[in-house]
């Protein structure tokens, strides 16, 4: 109860901190995000479209550049196929009916899901381990930073953790059954498997048949996820679009098998490259780096002391892996958890690696982290310092290895322009133009500018233009010039940035000679 009280208090504090950030507003209408898509879908459910007759599909700016919505719907298998697995949309609709549409109402509902997850971690650990492990594991769940962040966002990941823990807790309760009932259950399972699966899928199949969708279709994500995560030029982490994506989707025309074949064909027989990509994924799964898609962990950790000093992935991973080793003598009894971790890793390998997709696996690793902490405390209490020190050094070594698995990606992709632009838009709309300008200036300072990045990364040119226009509106052209010059020094091959600086000097400061220098450099870079 003390841990649950702490979990609730931490989550209320976290909600208060996030409520002061622009994301509390823009997540509901940012059209490029899954948050806005979930919000729109749940709104249609509330308005009475329970079956999804007018099935909502996310249609972002980059998708519009590729093809009309009708073409995308054909690639997905038809208009009536759910865009994502639908449970979260219905859960979000229920939250809105109970708590309203405000950030605090939805946030408190999801915070209660987070508290439920802490309780489930405790119950699962109590069922399998006992001792102090349940309290320690639950305390870790109460303080794990990525749990806290995603509970404030209308994304399905928190609910995924809840369902995973419920499933494991229920299955773990079968452990005490005698051999004969298990044998009979096996026979009955074999006999009833088809009927049982049919019963479980009946609502989905019935809905699809009524609306004319393929009977067993659940989501449009399967094809796209495989292409984006496994094509030869896939970035493997985060969400970038391989060059062959459009061609594959067009030729596959909604057929997963064809999409898989065409995706593998992008390697042109270079199977070592395929192996290399898969090994890179494995590194990403175990790396401390939190790859982003809808939300950037690092942006919010910079702005929330609670997130910054919360429990992070590399600590849970280190303690969890040591706990798996310490628990090896009971591995047979706890094989359910090991199978789950293995299945989670396999699921992550299907697509690109995104930090939030690791959350269900982290919930289980927290149990083994509890094993490590309890075992170490017992060893210290018994005076066996040497064994405790070895375990501690092993944990430190794993955490250090996790921190160095993807150093280049962490440097290059730690930040992006989106959060800064969206926050500035909210500040400006509410009459806080100076805060908007400072947000954009802070964003410019995060643009990666190493020797392998001589031009501004994607999204940052737009940020630079927006910053320049707002600075001119506020009469802050001199500040804009100084900030842009600083960015240009770390991106010396960016001709467009030089051109923007030239406009600032010419149109904002009236310094034509200085402007011409930058225009000349921009022309030179464009010619080269």
């Amino acid at each position: 109860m003390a841990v649950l009280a702490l979990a609730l208090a931490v989550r209320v504090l976290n909600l208060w901190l996030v409520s002061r950030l622009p994301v509390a507003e823009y997540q509901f209408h940012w059209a490029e995000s899954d948050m806005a898509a979930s919000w729109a879908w749940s709104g249609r459910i509330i308005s009475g479209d329970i079956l999804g007759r007018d099935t909502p599909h996310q249609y972002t700016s980059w998708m519009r550049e590729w093809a009309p919505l009708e073409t995308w719907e054909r690639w997905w298998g038809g208009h009536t196929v759910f865009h994502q697995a639908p449970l979260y949309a219905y859960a979000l609709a229920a939250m809105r009916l109970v708590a309203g549409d405000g950030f605090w109402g939805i946030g408190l509902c999801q915070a209660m899901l987070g508290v439920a997850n802490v309780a489930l971690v405790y119950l699962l650990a109590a069922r399998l381990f006992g001792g102090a492990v349940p309290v320690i594991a639950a305390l870790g769940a109460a303080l794990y930073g990525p749990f806290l962040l995603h509970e404030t966002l209308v994304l399905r990941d928190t609910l995924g953790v809840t369902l995973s823990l419920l499933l494991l807790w229920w299955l773990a309760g079968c452990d005490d059954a005698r051999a004969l009932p298990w044998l009979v259950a096996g026979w009955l399972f074999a006999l009833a498997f088809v009927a049982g699966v049919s019963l479980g899928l009946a609502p989905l199949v019935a809905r699809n048949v009524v609306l004319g969708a393929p009977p067993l279709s659940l989501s449009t994500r399967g094809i796209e996820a495989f292409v984006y995560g496994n094509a030869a030029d896939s970035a493997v982490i985060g969400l970038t679009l391989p060059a062959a994506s459009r061609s594959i989707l067009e030729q596959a025309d909604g057929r997963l098998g064809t999409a898989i074949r065409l995706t593998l064909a992008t390697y042109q027989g270079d199977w070592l490259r395929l192996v290399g990509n898969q090994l890179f994924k494995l590194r990403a799964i175990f790396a401390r780096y939190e790859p982003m898609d809808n939300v950037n962990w690092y942006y919010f950790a910079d702005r929330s002391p609670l997130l910054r000093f919360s429990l992070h992935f590399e600590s849970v991973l280190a303690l969890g892996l040591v706990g798996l080793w310490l628990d090896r003598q009971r591995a047979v009894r706890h094989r359910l958890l090991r199978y789950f971790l293995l299945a989670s890793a396999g699921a992550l390998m299907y697509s690109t690696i995104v930090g939030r997709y690791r959350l269900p696996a982290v919930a289980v690793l927290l149990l083994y982290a509890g094993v490590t902490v309890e075992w170490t405390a017992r060893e210290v209490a018994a005076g066996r310092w040497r064994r405790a020190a070895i375990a501690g050094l092993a944990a430190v070594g794993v955490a250090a290895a996790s921190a160095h698995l993807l150093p280049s990606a962490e440097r290059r992709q730690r930040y992006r322009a989106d959060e800064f632009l969206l926050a500035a838009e909210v500040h400006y709309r509410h009459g806080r133009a100076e805060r908007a300008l400072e947000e954009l200036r802070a964003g410019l300072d995060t643009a990666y500018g190493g020797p392998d990045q001589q031009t501004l990364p994607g999204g940052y040119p737009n940020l630079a233009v927006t910053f320049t226009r707002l600075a001119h509106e506020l009469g802050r052209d001199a500040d804009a010039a100084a900030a842009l010059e600083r960015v240009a020094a770390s991106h010396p091959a960016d001709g467009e940035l030089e051109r923007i600086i030239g406009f600032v000097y010419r149109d904002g400061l009236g310094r034509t000679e200085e402007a011409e220098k930058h225009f000349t450099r921009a022309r030179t870079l464009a010619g080269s």
Side-chain angles (χ1 to χ4, degrees):
M1 295 304 298
V3 172
L4 288 179
L6 174 65
L8 180 58
V10 167
R11 278 152 177 78
V12 172
L13 174 59
N14 184 53
L15 276 175
W16 177 76
L17 290 170
V18 175
S19 71
R20 297 161 60 86
L21 299 175
V23 70
E25 180 177 332
Y26 73 67
Q27 67 165 319
F28 300 112
H29 59 74
W30 180 26
E32 305 295 306
S33 70
D34 287 350
M35 290 96 78
S38 296
W39 191 254
W41 189 354
S42 65
R44 292 194 188 182
I45 294 171
I46 292 172
S47 67
D49 188 6
I50 304 298
L51 293 181
R53 294 178 182 277
D54 183 16
T55 312
H57 290 285
Q58 192 175 26
Y59 190 46
T60 60
S61 57
W62 67 265
M63 295 169 69
R64 287 193 290 272
E65 292 176 3
W66 279 20
L69 180 58
E70 295 76 15
T71 301
W72 277 99
E73 289 173 346
R74 190 182 77 248
W75 292 347
W76 293 329
H79 168 71
T80 52
V81 176
F82 283 133
H83 195 67
Q84 292 181 341
L87 180 59
Y88 179 68
Y90 287 94
L92 182 57
M95 293 179 198
R96 294 175 67 176
L97 285 173
V98 171
D101 289 352
F103 171 80
W104 271 97
I106 300 300
L108 285 172
C109 287
Q110 298 211 146
M112 295 310 298
L113 266 184
V115 173
N117 290 344
V118 174
L120 285 169
V121 166
Y122 177 91
L123 293 172
L124 181 58
R127 182 161 279 181
L128 293 175
F129 295 99
V133 173
V135 170
I136 297 169
L139 184 62
L143 301 176
Y144 186 61
F147 281 173
L148 294 171
L149 174 61
H150 288 91
E151 288 164 17
T152 66
L153 305 168
V154 284
L155 291 169
R156 53 185 172 161
D157 304 279
T158 297
L159 184 59
V161 174
T162 307
L163 294 176
S164 298
L165 288 170
L166 271 173
L167 172 65
L168 290 170
W169 176 74
W170 183 266
L171 291 175
C174 299
D175 237 15
D176 294 331
R178 290 172 291 126
L180 182 60
W182 272 106
L183 184 62
V184 173
W187 289 334
L188 292 175
F189 179 78
L191 292 172
F193 179 76
V194 174
V197 170
S198 300
L199 181 63
L201 293 177
L204 172 70
V205 173
R207 178 263 176 196
N208 287 342
V209 169
V210 168
L211 299 187
L216 294 177
S217 63
L218 176 64
S219 166
T220 65
R221 302 293 85 202
I223 293 177
E224 286 183 61
F226 186 84
V227 174
Y228 301 158
N230 294 281
D233 58 338
S234 169
V236 176
I237 55 176
L239 179 59
T240 56
L241 305 176
S245 299
R246 181 175 180 176
S247 172
I248 293 172
L249 292 173
E250 177 67 40
Q251 294 179 66
D253 206 23
R255 299 185 296 272
L256 177 60
T258 304
I260 292 175
R261 176 176 58 79
L262 293 172
T263 300
L264 295 178
T266 61
Y267 289 89
Q268 298 180 337
D270 186 1
W271 305 121
L272 286 178
R273 186 176 181 185
L274 173 61
V275 171
N277 277 357
Q278 301 309 307
L279 290 176
F280 191 88
K281 282 187 187 180
L282 278 175
R283 286 166 54 196
I285 290 173
F286 292 98
R288 76 172 179 189
Y289 173 59
E290 296 280 350
M292 70 189 87
D293 59 350
N294 287 275
V295 61
N296 180 4
W297 157 262
Y298 300 101
Y299 175 90
F300 294 102
D302 286 348
R303 284 153 182 77
S304 167
L306 179 61
L307 295 180
R308 188 160 59 250
F309 296 109
S310 63
L311 191 61
H312 294 176
F313 177 74
E314 66 271 22
S315 300
V316 176
L317 176 70
L319 294 172
L321 292 183
V322 172
L324 277 165
W325 171 256
L326 294 173
D327 192 56
R328 63 192 182 281
Q329 293 183 346
R330 295 183 293 181
V332 173
R333 184 184 174 211
H334 299 154
R335 60 188 177 275
L336 173 67
L337 300 182
R338 295 168 183 260
Y339 290 158
F340 180 83
L341 290 173
L342 185 63
S344 297
L348 287 168
M349 295 290 288
Y350 178 85
S351 181
T352 57
I353 305 300
V354 175
R356 64 190 178 97
Y357 297 165
R358 300 187 297 201
L359 295 182
V362 168
V364 172
L365 283 174
L366 283 166
L367 273 64
Y368 286 104
V371 170
T372 300
V373 174
E374 185 201 44
W375 180 90
T376 303
R378 289 182 182 275
E379 292 298 300
V380 170
R384 294 187 287 268
W385 291 91
R386 183 173 177 273
R387 283 155 54 100
I390 292 173
L393 287 173
V396 170
V398 172
S402 176
H404 291 87
L405 282 175
L406 293 179
S408 176
E410 190 167 350
R411 286 194 305 271
R412 291 175 57 88
Q413 302 178 38
R414 187 178 181 89
Y415 297 101
R416 62 180 180 182
D418 292 14
E419 276 78 14
F420 299 97
L421 283 165
L422 290 162
E425 178 193 352
V426 172
H427 287 313
Y428 187 83
R429 191 166 60 246
H430 290 286
R432 302 187 295 265
E434 288 288 347
R435 287 191 65 183
L437 185 68
E438 291 308 309
E439 187 76 33
L440 294 170
R441 185 201 306 276
L444 279 176
D445 290 339
T446 66
Y448 174 70
D452 54 341
Q453 183 71 52
Q454 298 289 294
T455 60
L456 282 174
Y460 281 94
N462 185 32
L463 192 154
V465 170
T466 307
F467 171 72
T468 302
R469 289 175 175 170
L470 182 55
H472 183 69
E473 179 183 321
L474 296 174
R476 302 274 296 276
D477 295 288
D479 292 344
L484 293 170
E485 291 271 24
R486 187 171 61 250
V487 175
S490 56
H491 301 84
D494 198 313
E496 183 60 26
L497 182 56
E498 292 290 340
R499 199 165 69 90
I500 294 171
I501 298 172
F503 284 127
V504 173
Y505 279 116
R506 188 190 70 185
D507 302 336
L509 299 174
R511 295 164 57 180
T512 55
E513 285 190 20
E514 194 70 27
E516 189 56 37
K517 290 179 184 178
H518 287 281
F519 287 141
T520 300
R521 179 164 175 75
R523 288 192 292 269
T524 302
L525 290 171
S528 62

